[in-house]
Amino acid sequence: MFVIFGFRTKVDRLGVVSRVCRNCGNHAAQVITRRSTKFSLFFVPLIPVRTRYGQQCTYCGAEYDLPKAEARGLAVG
């Protein structure tokens, strides 16, 4: 009998805000994302393991981690 298990990460786009990038210093659109990693058994995601929030600059492509409260407050449109 084979047991197939692993981890699956799903990326959700929460919104886009216009801010100054910490890396390049340009005022550009920042994409706010949520990455949810879940333990999966037989390709069925079962248990959430980790959830991370991030911000990515559309001008230079730099990506930063955000606290949950800040990401929820910024997620607009």
Side-chain angles (χ1 to χ4, degrees):
M1 182 170 126
F2 290 99
V3 178
I4 302 171
F5 64 94
F7 296 95
R8 177 174 293 175
T9 301
K10 180 181 178 187
V11 179
D12 295 321
R13 181 176 166 176
L14 298 179
V16 178
V17 294
S18 182
R19 297 179 79 184
V20 175
C21 178
R22 292 185 241 169
N23 186 48
C24 65
N26 288 314
H27 191 76
Q30 308 287 320
V31 179
I32 309 300
T33 58
R34 177 180 60 209
R35 294 176 187 267
S36 301
T37 303
K38 293 185 179 182
F39 174 77
S40 61
L41 183 64
F42 293 106
F43 305 107
V44 177
L46 297 174
I47 303 168
V49 177
R50 180 183 2 174
T51 302
R52 293 177 20 197
Y53 294 87
Q55 165 184 328
Q56 183 176 17
C57 178
T58 57
Y59 187 81
C60 68
E63 188 170 343
Y64 307 101
D65 289 335
L66 288 176
K68 180 180 180 179
E70 186 179 350
R72 291 290 185 179
L74 288 176
V76 183

